[in-house]
Amino acid sequence: MALRIPYILKVEIPGQVYVPGEIFPFHGTLTIRVVSNGRFLLRIQIPPGEEAELAGQRLGSGEHVLWGRGRMELVLQGKGWLILEPGG
């Protein structure tokens, strides 16, 4: 049985260059398009006293972790940092 290692094929953030695994600060509205051959992990960190919104859901301060797979487009609004990582 061949082992398939998941990896992120492409991340598109209009007007930005993003390398998976790096911390990316955001402020305002951010559209993220991800293409992966498997699962990936999206970590969103919101600073104390701030909040953000992802796909219509409010995110309070702290760390929020979401799993994705394949192709995904997300709209993130607010202020904080995000990290995209390949996952198992």
Side-chain angles (χ1 to χ4, degrees):
M1 183 171 126
L3 178 64
R4 190 172 107 177
I5 299 171
Y7 61 93
I8 296 172
L9 301 171
K10 181 168 57 171
V11 178
E12 293 178 5
I13 299 175
Q16 304 290 329
V17 175
Y18 179 77
V19 176
E22 289 186 357
I23 296 172
F24 185 84
F26 66 90
H27 183 53
T29 301
L30 184 66
T31 301
I32 309 157
R33 291 180 189 89
V34 182
V35 179
S36 173
N37 75 336
R39 289 172 51 133
F40 59 89
L41 184 67
L42 173 64
R43 292 181 189 271
I44 302 170
Q45 297 175 348
I46 311 298
E50 298 288 338
E51 59 181 48
E53 186 176 296
L54 178 65
Q57 185 174 2
R58 189 184 78 72
L59 305 174
S61 62
E63 184 175 68
H64 304 272
V65 179
L66 300 130
W67 285 99
R69 176 184 293 273
R71 293 179 182 264
M72 251 179 134
E73 180 173 305
L74 304 164
V75 178
L76 183 61
Q77 295 178 316
K79 180 179 179 183
W81 303 270
L82 70 87
I83 303 169
L84 272 164
E85 303 170 340

